[in-house]
């Protein structure tokens, strides 16, 4: 799918890159577009096969000065490989750049973006991350259902639920 958008915002943020700590404050209008493809198939654990692709481009204009404040380009590509009903292999490549007088700051770190690094401890105008992981069950157990939404009862049964804990080896490489 293709989506186009326009947004107006009042930006107020820390300038991480100047030698003197200062707060940048300005009004910006951003125009952008995204292109996405999603052929993934999921079960109740998440995606198990297929591809997801997100690409985005955005240009921001500083309303106060009339200048381009930032140009952002991003891509996120994921591939899920089915191995068995309970085991899958997931791969991800994501990258982005922001250029201009007031470029966007990307934050990385933590269990969603770059595991093994403190949450949002990496900051910058450019990023790249490659990730691969084997998703395997660690253990299963059955538990009694005490309460919950009606929709869960219809999917999982009225009196019991099967719970499983999943994990597996992974490798994240980024900059």
């Amino acid at each position: 799918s293709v989506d186009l958008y326009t947004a107006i915002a009042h930006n107020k943020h820390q300038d991480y890159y100047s030698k003197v700590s200062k707060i940048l404050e300005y009004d910006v209008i951003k125009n952008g577009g995204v292109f996405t493809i999603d052929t993934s198939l999921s079960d109740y654990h998440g995606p198990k096969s297929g591809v997801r692709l997100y690409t985005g481009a955005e240009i921001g204009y500083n309303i106060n000065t009339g200048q381009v404040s930032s140009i952002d380009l991003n891509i996120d590509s994921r591939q899920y490989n089915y191995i068995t009903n309970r085991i899958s292999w997931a791969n991800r490549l994501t990258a982005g750049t922001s250029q201009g007088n007031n470029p966007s700051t990307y934050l990385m770190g933590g269990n969603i973006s770059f595991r093994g690094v403190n949450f949002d401890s990496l900051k910058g105008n450019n990023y790249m991350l490659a990730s691969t992981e084997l998703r395997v069950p660690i253990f299963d157990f059955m538990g009694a259902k005490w309460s919950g939404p009606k929709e869960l009862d219809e999917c999982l049964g009225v009196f019991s639920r099967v719970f499983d804990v999943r994990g597996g080896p992974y490798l994240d490489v980024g900059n």
Side-chain angles (χ1 to χ4, degrees), residues 22-119:
K22 62 182 178 177
I23 301 293
L24 299 175
E25 191 169 355
Y26 55 95
D27 296 309
V28 65
I29 184 166
K30 292 191 173 194
N31 296 301
V34 296
F35 173 72
T36 59
I37 296 173
D38 188 349
T39 64
S40 63
L41 298 174
S42 297
D43 61 13
Y44 64 95
H45 300 294
K48 64 180 183 177
S49 67
V51 171
R52 288 183 178 172
L53 174 68
Y54 165 90
T55 58
E58 180 177 88
I59 186 166
Y61 297 96
N62 185 323
I63 296 171
N64 304 342
T65 65
Q67 296 179 330
V68 172
S69 63
S70 65
I71 298 172
D72 300 351
L73 301 171
N74 297 283
I75 186 167
D76 189 336
S77 175
R78 300 170 189 220
Q79 181 178 9
Y80 305 99
N81 302 289
Y82 174 87
I83 297 174
T84 70
N85 279 340
R86 303 188 61 210
I87 299 173
S88 64
W89 180 27
N91 297 287
R92 178 182 185 198
L93 178 62
T94 184
T97 186
S98 183
Q99 305 298 314
N101 294 332
N102 296 308
S104 300
T105 300
Y106 298 109
L107 304 173
M108 287 183 68
N111 62 342
I112 295 174
S113 63
F114 198 171
R115 295 167 285 198
V117 176
N118 289 337
F119 183 75

